[in-house]
Amino acid sequence: MMVARQMIRLILPPLFLRVIGCRAEESNEELYRRTVNGWRSRGSYRPWDEYTAELLARWQTADPSHRNRLGIVGGFEEGILAIEKATVARGEGQNVERDRALSKLYCAYGKTLLDLNAAECHQLALDPHTLLIGIETVSRDDEPSAFLCGENAENALRNAASLDATNALAAELLESVTGRESAHERKPKEFVAELFDSFADTFDEKLVKDLGYAVPKLVGDAAKALRPNYGAVLDAGCGTGLAGTYLKPLVSDAMIGVDASQKMLDIAAKCTTRKGCGLKESQVIDDGVKEVPLYDDLLVLDLEEMTLKNTLANVKSRDVVGFDLIVAADVLVYFGSLSNLLQTFSQISTPGAGLIFSTELATTEEAPLGWRLLPSGRFAHTKQHATEAGSGAGYELVSYREIVPRMERG
């Protein structure tokens, strides 16, 4: 009997290990179905976190020469598609738990795409069910290349970073791919310039007429409420001059417009106190106002590179030693952290100067860093970050208002 018991003790552990090891034999498709069932029954996105972790673990041990690697990539694609489809079908808005789970999926998808060799990438591109963008340019006879997977990896990592600003791996991988600093800091000035150059000609009509753009007038009203008159005013990120129309009546010395887009400034240069810059041909703000150019100077500059010397170089009045008011209407959405920019504003302002700006609002849960890159490509900021960045630059909060800037979705 003693021998039998000893034999049982020796046999039971291997049997137990085989039972636990059964899960490892679960196929990618079975894992997917179990995840979807768990997601639906639990009403939580936690099963997707577990799904992503399991697929990544399989990826780490997969043989690069084995077709199963592409099956794992396909698993990430299936997960992304399932959540994205459900979000659209439900008409679901902001959901932090969903966005974080989706961010992990996009990040893992981007990582695996970067790891694929040329032959694997070519094979994946030939799969009609893949989520890769640009597969219509690939044929079976093409020389295998990993270029398309690299391009799609960058796109996936940008999605991951925009969905969850705390996804450090996504930010790290994206930085390694693009060679730039964190995607959460700000949009490259070249990107902003190219973006606005591309639709400068239709900018006013689309914003004012189609989207009911309200920010320029709200900025003008806020400036008038803050002070009835200003010596020098800086319209930072002035674009085609929509805000300038409402600011000009308050300016006694000079109004300077700065923007990254030359094409936008070319349009603003045609504006006067009576025409252009969002005004209808028959519309005049004040019949008694003499028709003069809206801006005294227009400069192509990066906002974080502004100084008193380069912004006031062409101002003739010796009374102007800085700006009494700086306005940034719908501009800060292209910056992550606002600290550096507001410090720049402070350095070119006179003592007691005003600062008026708009941002897109995020909650602290949505943007734990204080700012978050949105799927639209713009940044949203928390009230706390905006006010702390302002205080750090020497400003005091005088007024705060939540508004609807435009009607993008009717």
Side-chain angles (χ1 to χ4, degrees):
M1 295 295 291
M2 290 293 291
V3 174
R5 288 194 185 99
Q6 288 174 348
M7 289 179 67
I8 289 172
R9 290 191 186 101
L10 290 171
I11 292 172
L12 278 178
L15 288 173
F16 180 73
L17 286 172
R18 289 192 189 101
V19 173
I20 294 298
C22 279
R23 178 62 58 84
E25 302 301 320
E26 185 180 40
S27 70
N28 293 336
E29 189 58 36
E30 289 169 340
L31 173 64
Y32 172 78
R33 287 198 295 268
R34 177 166 62 82
T35 299
V36 171
N37 290 335
W39 173 39
R40 290 171 177 169
S41 63
R42 291 162 60 179
S44 165
Y45 285 88
R46 179 65 184 274
W48 287 114
D49 292 342
E50 297 167 353
Y51 176 81
T52 303
E54 174 62 26
L55 285 183
L56 276 176
R58 295 181 183 188
W59 181 261
Q60 295 299 329
T61 58
D63 186 343
S65 63
H66 199 281
R67 181 178 174 79
N68 187 50
R69 295 229 311 174
L70 293 185
I72 296 172
V73 175
F76 289 126
E77 292 184 331
E78 282 190 296
I80 290 168
L81 202 56
I83 297 178
E84 295 279 23
K85 280 186 174 180
T87 299
V88 173
R90 297 170 183 171
E92 197 174 56
Q94 292 286 349
N95 184 319
V96 174
E97 184 190 16
R98 176 204 65 208
D99 288 352
R100 287 177 179 166
L102 196 52
S103 174
K104 290 177 183 177
L105 274 167
Y106 268 117
C107 181
Y109 181 49
K111 181 183 185 306
T112 53
L113 287 178
L114 289 174
D115 289 346
L116 292 179
N117 58 44
E120 288 174 315
C121 182
H122 187 244
Q123 190 173 352
L124 180 62
L126 294 175
D127 182 351
H129 303 295
T130 183
L131 293 184
L132 291 182
I133 299 170
I135 60 172
E136 66 279 357
T137 64
V138 179
S139 71
R140 192 170 298 277
D141 297 329
D142 288 343
E143 182 74 23
S145 168
F147 176 78
L148 189 65
C149 289
E151 291 286 295
N152 279 268
E154 180 179 341
N155 185 60
L157 293 170
R158 287 192 184 280
N159 287 339
S162 70
L163 287 162
D164 181 9
T166 65
N167 192 330
L169 178 58
E172 179 183 339
L173 289 172
L174 185 57
E175 184 177 345
S176 69
V177 170
T178 62
R180 300 194 190 104
E181 295 181 1
S182 170
H184 300 293
E185 290 305 311
R186 61 164 292 182
K187 290 290 186 183
K189 57 185 178 182
E190 295 83 6
F191 167 84
V192 177
E194 184 176 347
L195 173 68
F196 284 98
D197 277 348
S198 67
F199 60 82
D201 293 337
T202 60
F203 186 76
D204 286 10
E205 182 178 1
K206 182 173 178 60
L207 273 180
V208 179
K209 182 179 178 181
D210 297 346
L211 302 181
Y213 190 48
V215 173
K217 186 177 186 306
L218 291 172
V219 163
D221 292 344
K224 191 172 183 179
L226 186 63
R227 196 185 300 177
N229 185 268
Y230 301 89
V233 170
L234 173 67
D235 190 355
C238 65
T240 58
L242 294 178
T245 295
Y246 300 95
L247 296 171
K248 186 65 172 180
L250 309 176
V251 181
S252 59
D253 287 322
M255 184 164 75
I256 310 299
V258 171
D259 203 272
S261 168
Q262 181 62 61
K263 288 189 177 180
M264 287 285 196
L265 293 179
D266 290 343
I267 294 174
K270 300 175 184 178
C271 299
T272 73
T273 48
R274 283 181 171 271
K275 65 182 181 183
C277 291
L279 291 177
K280 298 177 182 177
E281 289 187 9
S282 60
Q283 183 182 3
V284 177
I285 290 182
D286 185 343
D287 289 335
V289 173
K290 180 182 179 182
E291 185 172 12
V292 295
L294 200 61
Y295 292 91
D296 296 279
D297 202 9
L298 291 165
L299 306 167
V300 179
L301 284 173
D302 181 84
L303 296 188
E304 288 187 332
E305 296 174 358
M306 294 188 302
T307 64
L308 284 174
K309 183 177 180 179
N310 61 22
T311 53
L312 296 177
N314 298 320
V315 175
K316 297 178 181 180
S317 174
R318 295 182 179 181
D319 294 332
V320 177
V321 294
F323 294 102
D324 302 315
L325 174 68
I326 295 179
V327 167
D330 217 11
V331 174
L332 273 55
V333 293
Y334 297 102
F335 293 81
S337 171
L338 302 179
S339 298
N340 288 342
L341 180 60
L342 298 196
Q343 285 285 354
T344 300
F345 287 167
S346 180
Q347 291 167 6
I348 59 177
S349 297
T350 58
L355 171 62
I356 300 172
F357 62 82
S358 63
T359 69
E360 293 198 21
L361 184 63
T363 65
T364 53
E365 185 180 20
E366 294 166 343
L369 296 177
W371 60 92
R372 178 190 180 194
L373 183 61
L374 300 172
S376 63
R378 298 189 293 264
F379 287 94
H381 301 85
T382 63
K383 179 184 178 182
Q384 180 180 352
H385 173 68
T387 53
E388 287 181 352
S391 297
Y395 293 100
E396 294 181 6
L397 180 62
V398 175
S399 176
Y400 169 84
R401 181 180 173 187
E402 293 184 14
I403 63 170
V404 178
R406 63 177 74 82
M407 303 299 292
E408 290 193 69
R409 290 178 173 82

